[in-house]
Amino acid sequence: MPDENSEKTRGRLELYDVLETVAAALVICVITFVFAVRIVDVDGSSMYPTLYDRDKLIVSNLFFKPEQGDIVVLKKADFMDQPIVKRVIAVGGQTVNIDFDSGTVYVDGKALEEPYTASPTNDPEDFQGPQTVPAGCIFVMGDNRNKSTDSRFSLVGMVDERLVLGRVYLIIFPFSHFGIPAG
């Protein structure tokens, strides 16, 4: 005949094991989302057709240094309170120029092939080129070039790499957009 005290003890140990597992899972989730990845919402249409308004993105800055072509999330408080999503056009030391008549973006004198853009770059904002990107900075633009406030606009300008929250790795929602963004 089973001892009633041993059954109570076993029940308490099982409950303790469950609580310990749940607590460990919560700690792992918190550490992961604080230090390794973030979920960020797209706000607006500046990255159309690559990203849509309200897409949810997985972003990470773990072992990341911005490179030309990356889609990044940055926080520039003097421009906007919430994070913004843009594409890296040039990095420190590269020179950017834009021919607004043809809509062509040039980096170091070479025209970029940009199949991901919604239309040619015809809106100059207040850009005066050519401009050389300072070391430790990036030049960013939205894929929806004529509906994007980006490095062509002096309030955004060259973005210090320390303001980059991370690179976009995955679109997770809505499920119809799930996948790695074009680049």
Side-chain angles (χ1 to χ4, degrees):
M1 183 163 173
D3 183 2
E4 190 174 312
N5 285 335
S6 66
E7 281 188 33
K8 284 183 181 178
T9 303
R10 189 172 54 236
R12 285 186 190 134
L13 288 174
E14 286 176 7
L15 179 61
Y16 177 75
D17 284 345
V18 168
L19 291 175
E20 187 177 57
T21 302
V22 168
L26 286 173
V27 167
I28 290 169
C29 284
V30 167
I31 289 171
T32 299
F33 283 99
V34 168
F35 296 108
V37 298
R38 298 172 190 235
I39 297 176
V40 175
D41 290 342
V42 174
D43 184 17
S45 63
S46 73
M47 285 299 293
Y48 177 83
T50 307
L51 302 173
Y52 295 79
D53 187 32
R54 296 192 180 109
D55 278 356
K56 292 195 182 307
L57 313 170
I58 294 286
V59 176
S60 178
N61 65 354
L62 211 55
F63 310 113
F64 170 70
K65 178 150 178 64
E67 294 180 10
Q68 189 177 20
D70 286 344
I71 299 174
V72 297
V73 176
L74 55 106
K75 183 95 167 160
K76 193 148 185 177
D78 56 340
F79 170 66
M80 188 178 282
D81 289 334
Q82 69 256 33
I84 57 176
V85 183
K86 301 292 177 193
R87 186 177 299 273
V88 177
I89 300 302
V91 297
Q94 293 185 304
T95 300
V96 178
N97 203 3
I98 304 170
D99 179 345
F100 294 103
D101 292 328
S102 69
T104 307
V105 178
Y106 295 89
V107 175
D108 294 334
K110 296 178 184 160
L112 294 182
E113 290 187 33
E114 301 183 293
Y116 44 77
T117 59
S119 59
T121 308
N122 301 117
D123 184 357
E125 297 280 347
D126 59 4
F127 180 84
Q128 297 291 317
Q131 293 183 11
T132 300
V133 181
C137 291
I138 55 176
F139 186 96
V140 297
M141 294 175 76
D143 290 356
N144 193 1
R145 294 295 163 79
N146 300 309
K147 302 267 192 259
S148 174
T149 302
D150 47 41
S151 288
R152 293 172 289 163
F153 186 56
S154 57
L155 277 177
V156 177
M158 304 295 175
V159 177
D160 189 314
E161 288 180 2
R162 293 174 292 189
L163 300 177
V164 175
L165 300 176
R167 178 177 181 253
V168 174
Y169 285 95
L170 190 65
I171 303 166
I172 60 169
F173 191 81
F175 297 120
S176 61
H177 298 167
F178 185 86
I180 298 169

